[in-house]
Amino acid sequence: MIKNYFKVAFRNLWKNKGYSAINIFGLAIGLATCLLITLYVTNELSYDKYLSDANRIYRINSDLRFGGGDLHMTQTSDMMGPLLKKDYPQVEEYARIYTNEGSKLIKKGNEFINEPHIAYADSTFFTVFGLPAVEGDTKTALNEPNTIVVTTSTAKKYFGVVNVLGKNIEIKNDSGTTAYKITAVINDIPQNSHFNFEFLLSMKNVKYQWGQFTSHNFLTYLLLKPGTDYKAFEKHLDEYTAKYVLPSVQQFIKVSSMEELKKAGNKLQYSLMPLTDIHLHSDYAFEITPSGNIQYVYIFSAVALFILLLACINFMNLSTARSANRAKEVGIRKVLGTERKTLIAQFLVESTLTAIIALIIAIAVAYFVLPLFNTIAAKSLSINDLLSVRILPFLVLLPFVVGLLAGSYPALFLSGFKPIVVLKGNVNTGFKKSNLRNVLVVFQFATSIMLIICTIVVYKQLDYIQNKKLGFNKDQVLIINDAYALDKNVQAFKNDVLAMQGVGSGTISSFLPVSSSSRNDNTYSKEAVMDTKNSIDMQTWRIDYDYIKTMGMEIVQGRNFSKDFGADSSALLITETTAKLLGYDNPVGKMLYAPSNKQNDNNLYPREIIGVVKDFHFESLRQKMGPLCMSLRNSNGLASFKISTANTKNLVAQIEAKWKTMAPGMPFSYRFLSDSFDDMYRSEQRAGSVAIVFAILAIVIACLGLFGLVTYMAEQRTKEIGIRKVLGATVGNVVTMLSKDFLILVGIAAILAFPVAWWAMHQWLRDFAYRIDISVWVFVFAGIAALLIALLTVSFQAIKAALSNPVKSLRTE
C-alpha cells in the first residue's frame, strides 16, 4: 500500500512538472531560510551554556546615578566579590576580571604582536567557570604575580607546541617589558561565550588603589551554592551597599542614609544577571564582547516561520485550485470502494514527498548560502551544526511537519468530493468561492508588505544615524592604535606626522566619541562640601591641547585649553548638557570640586570651568547624552589625526614608516573614526541586510503562488475568455477581469499590514534615544510596491491568456 502511495505520488509530481516545480522551489526557499535561522537562533541561545555550572553563575551589574549622571554598567568595585563571599554563605566562590588596560603588545621573536583578547583574573576564575587545564593546575595557576594562563591556540602560535609550562611570555608596559611565566594551558574558549580571552594574567599584577568602594572597574562573578534562589539573594546586595558603600560615600558626600541619597534622585543599586542571559539580555556598558539582542532572535524566528508558512500556503492554494484535475481520479477511486482515509493518506504522502524533495534542495541551498549568511550575521556557523543533537531531531521531523501542515487542508478538501457530482463533470469548487484561499493570499502579501516596511524603516534609521549632526566630525580622522608603544617618542611622533602633507591637526588621547575607546567617571560637587543635592557623576576624559580642533568640536562659551595658561592643568571643559544639569547659564569661571586620586585622601579639590563644548554624542544614539567634562591630562593610548588628502594610502605608508623608526619591532595598526562609529551600529546594519533578504524571499514566494494561481485560473476560464473575446472584449478587459480580484486582496493585505508594521517598528525604534518618525510615505510606498509587484506577476499570465486565439479555445472546448 505504502509503495503504491509513493508510486502515485511520483507519477503526479512528474505529470504536473510546472506546478510541482513551483511547490518544490517555494518550499525549498522556505525550508532553507528556516534552516539558516535555526542555526543562528540555536547558536545565539547557546551562549555560555557549555559551562557545567552555568546555571549557578551570576554577574553583578551596577546602576548608579549622581546629579543626573547615569551609569549602567557591568563593573563593580574591587571589594564587592570578596566581601559578599565573606558575609554570605550562599556564595560558594567569586571571580573578578579586569579589562581596563585593553589590548597588550606581546613579544614573539624580535617583534611585538597586538593581542586584544587579554585580561587580568583572580586565581578563582577557573573554579567559578570550571575551565579544565590541558597542562598545569588552574587552581593555583594565577596565585602568584607575573603568572599567565594561555589557550592551546596561543601556545601553538607563540611556541609551536601545547606543552609550554614554565616558559615565559614578555608583555610590553610603560617601563619596558614584563616576563610572565606560563603556569597552565586551557582549551580555546568556545565561540558561543560572552568572553573570548586567549591570555589571563594574574590579578596581582594590576596597578590599582585597592579597597575603593566607589570606584567601579572590575567585572565580578558569583558562583552560588546549589539551590540558592538568586532573586532572593539579590536583596542582600542592598545590605552590602548600606554596610560598606554608604560609609565610603559619606567620606566625601554629606548624606546620613541610603534613603536620603535616593530621595535626592540618586541611585546606588546592584543586581545579578544569570550568566546565560548576558549575551542576549544585557544592555549594560563595558561588555567584554558585543552583546546580541533577544529582539532579533524573536524577529528572525518569526520571519523564518512566516516565510515557511508562505511556502506552505502556496502548496495549499495550488492544490485546492487544481482540484478539478484530480476530481475524476477521486470519483473513480471512491466508486471502486476506496475509503476517504485512504485518499487522505495518498494526498498527505504526496505533500510529504514534496517536502522531502524540497528539504534536500534546501540543505544544498543552505550549504552554498551559509558563507554569505555568516558574513551578514557575523557568525562562524557550519552546515555540520545541522547534525548536532539539538538540531538533528528538528531536521528529521521538519519535512513531515511541513507535509502535514501544507497537505492537510488539500487532503481533506479533495477527499471530500462526492463521486456522483464529480463524475458528471460538475466541479467548479476548485477555484470559485474559496474564502480560505483568499485569506491565505492576504496573509502572504500582508507578511511581504510588513517586511518591506520594516526594511525601509531600518535603513531610514541607519541613514539618520549616518547623517545626524553629532557635535564632532567623524570623517577623515585617522586613528593610530597603541600609541603607548612609542614610549617617550609619542609627542615627537605626533609632531613629525603633523609636518606631513595632508595632515591638518593631531591629538594624543585614549578617549574618543565612539564606544570602543576609554571611559572614566568621577563625582564632582558644585560646593566645597559635597552632598546629595550638589553632586554629579560624569564622564571625565583626559585630552590634550589639540583634541577639540582635531575632533571638529566647538567651544560655545569660554575658551579651549591653552599653553598660555599654566593653571589649565587643573581646569575643566564641560559640555552643554553638563552645564544644564549643574543649573548654570554661564558656567565659565565657576568651580567644581572633585576628590583626589590619591588613596586615603578624602579632601575635595577645586577645578575651574574655563569653557563649554557644544554637545556631542560620545555614545551610541540609543543612549541620551549624559554629562561629560574634559581635563588636561596625558592619555597615550591612541593618536588621532585630521587628514585632508585624496591619497590616503600614501599618507598611511609615510606614517607607518615613521612609526617603525620610532617604535622598532612594535606592530603598526590604524583605523578611521568613521569605521569605529559604524561599528556601534553593526547589529542594526546586519538586521537591515537580513531584512532585505527576507523581504525579497517573502515577495518571491508570494509571487510564485500568485503566478501559479492566475495560470491555473486562466486555464480554467479558457472557454469564458474565448466567448468574451468573440463578443468584443479587449485585451484590457480580459486582463482586468483576471487581475481585479487578486489586486483587491493585495489592497486588503496592505490595510492589515500597516498597523502591525507600525507597531513593530515603533517598538524597535524605542531602543534609540534619537530616532526618526515613521512617515506615512513609508506605508504608501510599500503598498504601491506590493500592488505593482502583484500586478506584474498577474499581468504576465493574464495578457498571455487574453492574446490567445478564441477560435482555438472554443474549438477545444
Side-chain angles (χ1 to χ4, degrees):
M1 180 65 74
I2 302 235
K3 181 180 179 182
N4 184 63
Y5 286 160
F6 278 97
K7 185 184 293 185
V8 174
F10 271 115
R11 186 182 299 153
N12 279 311
L13 288 175
W14 186 254
K15 181 180 177 182
N16 302 285
K17 299 182 189 68
Y19 294 104
S20 297
I22 290 175
N23 278 331
I24 291 171
F25 183 64
L27 280 175
I29 293 175
L31 288 169
T33 303
C34 196
L35 291 178
L36 291 172
I37 295 302
T38 300
L39 286 173
Y40 171 82
V41 169
T42 52
N43 178 265
E44 287 288 284
L45 294 175
S46 70
Y47 267 68
D48 296 310
K49 291 181 180 178
Y50 67 92
L51 297 169
S52 57
D53 291 321
N55 61 336
R56 294 198 290 130
I57 304 172
Y58 301 87
R59 188 184 67 196
I60 305 175
N61 295 324
S62 304
D63 290 282
L64 314 175
R65 183 191 303 124
F66 285 98
D70 284 282
L71 286 172
H72 187 63
M73 59 184 180
T74 60
Q75 296 173 323
T76 72
S77 75
D78 61 293
M79 297 301 295
M80 195 164 188
L83 290 173
L84 287 174
K85 184 185 178 185
K86 179 177 77 72
D87 291 353
Y88 299 100
Q90 298 95 320
V91 179
E92 182 175 317
E93 193 54 270
Y94 74 91
R96 297 168 301 182
I97 300 173
Y98 185 78
T99 60
N100 284 17
E101 293 185 11
S103 61
K104 297 281 187 183
L105 294 173
I106 298 183
K107 192 172 185 180
K108 182 182 181 183
N110 295 321
E111 295 187 345
F112 284 82
I113 299 174
N114 183 293
E115 296 286 3
H117 306 306
I118 189 167
Y120 296 89
D122 283 317
S123 58
T124 55
F125 176 88
F126 303 100
T127 303
V128 171
F129 292 102
L131 298 173
V134 176
E135 298 283 342
D137 183 4
T138 52
K139 291 181 180 179
T140 59
L142 298 178
N143 282 352
E144 301 299 324
N146 297 341
T147 54
I148 187 172
V149 174
V150 300
T151 62
T152 53
S153 292
T154 301
K156 291 175 183 177
K157 176 179 177 180
Y158 281 85
F159 301 99
V161 293
V162 173
N163 186 6
V164 293
L165 292 182
K167 295 184 182 293
N168 288 336
I169 282 183
E170 290 188 51
I171 300 179
K172 182 82 172 67
N173 56 40
D174 294 337
S175 58
T177 61
T178 300
Y180 286 80
K181 181 181 178 181
I182 299 175
T183 50
V185 179
I186 60 172
N187 285 316
D188 292 348
I189 304 294
Q191 176 267 335
N192 56 338
S193 174
H194 85 284
F195 54 72
N196 54 359
F197 303 125
E198 296 173 353
F199 303 82
L200 288 167
L201 285 65
S202 172
M203 188 67 77
K204 294 183 178 179
N205 281 89
V206 176
K207 295 178 181 179
Y208 190 75
Q209 296 180 19
W210 299 95
Q212 299 186 74
F213 289 96
T214 55
S215 291
H216 296 68
N217 294 288
F218 294 81
L219 293 110
T220 303
Y221 297 83
L222 301 180
L223 176 65
L224 299 184
K225 290 182 178 177
T228 302
D229 182 347
Y230 86 93
K231 279 296 181 183
F233 178 79
E234 200 172 47
K235 297 176 182 177
H236 294 305
L237 301 183
D238 290 336
E239 298 171 6
Y240 161 85
T241 304
K243 183 177 179 180
Y244 295 108
V245 184
L246 181 61
S248 182
V249 172
Q250 289 171 329
Q251 292 178 9
F252 57 90
I253 295 181
K254 187 178 179 182
V255 59
S256 60
S257 65
M258 288 300 299
E259 287 70 26
E260 182 183 344
L261 195 74
K262 291 176 182 177
K263 284 180 180 178
N266 300 309
K267 181 191 286 187
L268 190 54
Q269 186 175 334
Y270 301 98
S271 61
L272 295 179
M273 174 171 278
L275 181 73
T276 52
D277 285 354
I278 290 174
H279 177 66
L280 288 176
H281 296 272
S282 175
D283 59 351
Y284 286 86
F286 313 126
E287 285 290 353
I288 300 171
T289 57
S291 294
N293 190 325
I294 191 65
Q295 279 191 349
Y296 292 142
V297 171
Y298 293 147
I299 290 169
F300 292 165
S301 299
V303 170
L305 180 61
F306 280 142
I307 287 178
L308 186 58
L309 283 175
L310 296 185
C312 291
I313 287 169
N314 277 355
F315 186 94
M316 295 165 67
N317 279 345
L318 290 175
S319 296
T320 54
R322 294 179 56 247
S323 58
N325 287 11
R326 303 293 297 271
K328 284 189 177 181
E329 175 191 342
V330 171
I332 292 170
R333 280 173 175 262
K334 282 194 170 185
V335 168
L336 294 175
T338 304
E339 296 180 359
R340 186 180 185 189
K341 63 181 182 182
T342 305
L343 290 170
I344 291 174
Q346 173 65 57
F347 292 128
L348 287 178
V349 166
E350 288 184 22
S351 61
T352 303
L353 182 61
T354 303
I356 291 172
I357 296 171
L359 179 62
I360 294 169
I361 297 172
I363 293 172
V365 171
Y367 176 80
F368 289 108
V369 173
L370 192 57
L372 177 61
F373 183 81
N374 279 333
T375 301
I376 294 173
K379 291 287 182 183
S380 55
L381 304 173
S382 166
I383 202 69
N384 294 329
D385 294 334
L386 288 174
L387 303 178
S388 67
V389 176
R390 290 174 308 202
I391 299 179
L392 188 58
F394 167 79
L395 190 64
V396 172
L397 289 173
L398 188 59
F400 298 98
V401 173
V402 171
L404 184 64
L405 179 66
S408 57
Y409 176 70
L412 292 171
F413 179 81
L414 292 171
S415 64
F417 286 156
K418 295 179 180 180
I420 296 176
V421 175
V422 297
L423 289 175
K424 285 183 178 180
N426 297 326
V427 182
N428 288 319
T429 55
F431 202 90
K432 297 178 181 178
K433 298 181 180 178
S434 179
N435 292 328
L436 177 61
R437 189 181 309 114
N438 291 342
V439 169
L440 295 177
V441 170
V442 167
F443 176 80
Q444 283 186 309
F445 274 91
T447 301
S448 301
I449 291 167
M450 282 190 287
L451 286 171
I452 292 171
I453 292 170
C454 293
T455 302
I456 294 171
V457 171
V458 168
Y459 272 92
K460 283 182 71 69
Q461 175 65 17
L462 291 174
D463 182 67
Y464 170 79
I465 290 168
Q466 288 293 332
N467 295 295
K468 179 176 171 53
K469 292 182 178 179
L470 302 169
F472 66 95
N473 192 341
K474 61 182 170 59
D475 298 320
Q476 293 290 89
V477 177
L478 179 68
I479 303 168
I480 310 300
N481 300 316
D482 306 313
Y484 66 87
L486 292 159
D487 293 327
K488 296 178 182 179
N489 291 327
V490 65
Q491 284 300 325
F493 175 77
K494 173 186 171 182
N495 294 334
D496 286 351
V497 172
L498 287 173
M500 296 178 184
Q501 188 175 0
V503 180
S505 60
T507 181
I508 307 295
S509 175
S510 299
F511 296 82
L512 295 175
V514 288
S515 59
S516 57
S517 63
S518 295
R519 294 292 182 265
N520 178 54
D521 68 286
N522 281 312
T523 304
Y524 295 82
S525 171
K526 293 166 63 176
E527 300 171 13
V529 177
M530 188 179 291
D531 60 31
T532 58
K533 295 180 179 178
N534 64 24
S535 61
I536 181 171
D537 193 272
M538 58 179 157
Q539 282 289 310
T540 304
W541 289 13
R542 298 189 291 272
I543 66 170
D544 63 10
Y545 295 104
D546 302 310
Y547 185 89
I548 299 296
K549 179 182 178 182
T550 303
M551 293 297 147
M553 296 174 182
E554 181 184 350
I555 302 288
V556 292
Q557 290 185 47
R559 61 175 178 83
N560 191 9
F561 293 121
S562 172
K563 294 178 182 178
D564 298 332
F565 297 88
D568 278 3
S569 59
S570 62
L572 293 174
L573 295 174
I574 65 172
T575 62
E576 292 174 305
T577 292
T578 308
K580 290 174 186 175
L581 290 171
L582 291 170
Y584 293 145
D585 292 328
N586 185 9
V588 176
K590 292 189 167 53
M591 294 290 181
L592 289 179
Y593 297 84
S596 167
N597 290 325
K598 297 179 181 178
Q599 198 163 6
N600 300 321
D601 184 356
N602 298 320
N603 295 315
L604 298 179
Y605 294 90
R607 311 284 297 273
E608 183 184 0
I609 300 171
I610 63 169
V612 178
V613 180
K614 187 177 181 64
D615 273 340
F616 63 94
H617 292 274
F618 57 89
E619 296 291 358
S620 163
L621 292 182
R622 301 182 196 92
Q623 300 166 316
K624 289 185 177 180
M625 280 186 284
L628 179 143
C629 67
M630 302 176 180
S631 64
L632 197 60
R633 294 283 190 278
N634 289 330
S635 178
N636 294 341
L638 301 169
S640 303
F641 299 95
K642 184 69 176 180
I643 63 174
S644 56
T645 176
N647 196 348
T648 303
K649 186 176 180 180
N650 183 56
L651 177 60
V652 170
Q654 292 181 57
I655 295 173
E656 182 177 6
K658 179 58 65 177
W659 171 280
K660 288 181 177 179
T661 60
M662 292 188 167
M666 297 298 171
F668 174 82
S669 68
Y670 70 95
R671 56 192 161 107
F672 287 92
L673 185 62
S674 56
D675 293 335
S676 295
F677 178 83
D678 290 342
D679 286 342
M680 293 194 292
Y681 307 98
R682 196 66 66 198
S683 62
E684 283 75 23
Q685 291 168 358
R686 288 197 293 266
S689 300
V690 172
I692 285 179
V693 174
F694 284 161
I696 292 171
L697 289 177
I699 291 168
V700 167
I701 293 172
C703 289
L704 274 174
L706 200 59
F707 180 82
L709 286 174
V710 74
T711 300
Y712 191 76
M713 181 177 68
E715 289 179 5
Q716 291 294 298
R717 301 177 73 173
T718 301
K719 184 176 180 180
E720 178 188 348
I721 293 171
I723 294 171
R724 285 178 178 273
K725 291 189 71 174
V726 168
L727 294 176
T730 63
V731 172
N733 296 142
V734 175
V735 171
T736 302
M737 178 189 72
L738 294 174
S739 307
K740 180 180 64 176
D741 291 341
F742 289 113
L743 295 181
I744 290 173
L745 293 178
V746 174
I748 294 171
I751 293 170
L752 295 175
F754 290 165
V756 178
W758 178 88
W759 176 83
M761 285 295 94
H762 179 71
Q763 294 298 114
W764 181 75
L765 287 170
R766 286 175 61 183
D767 284 347
F768 295 87
Y770 304 90
R771 52 185 178 263
I772 62 168
D773 294 321
I774 304 177
S775 169
V776 67
W777 292 108
V778 173
F779 301 97
V780 173
F781 175 82
I784 292 174
L787 283 168
L788 288 175
I789 291 168
L791 183 62
L792 287 172
T793 304
V794 172
S795 296
F796 178 80
Q797 278 298 331
I799 293 171
K800 182 179 177 182
L803 292 174
S804 63
N805 188 342
V807 175
K808 184 179 179 180
S809 63
L810 291 174
R811 185 173 58 208
T812 57
E813 290 290 328

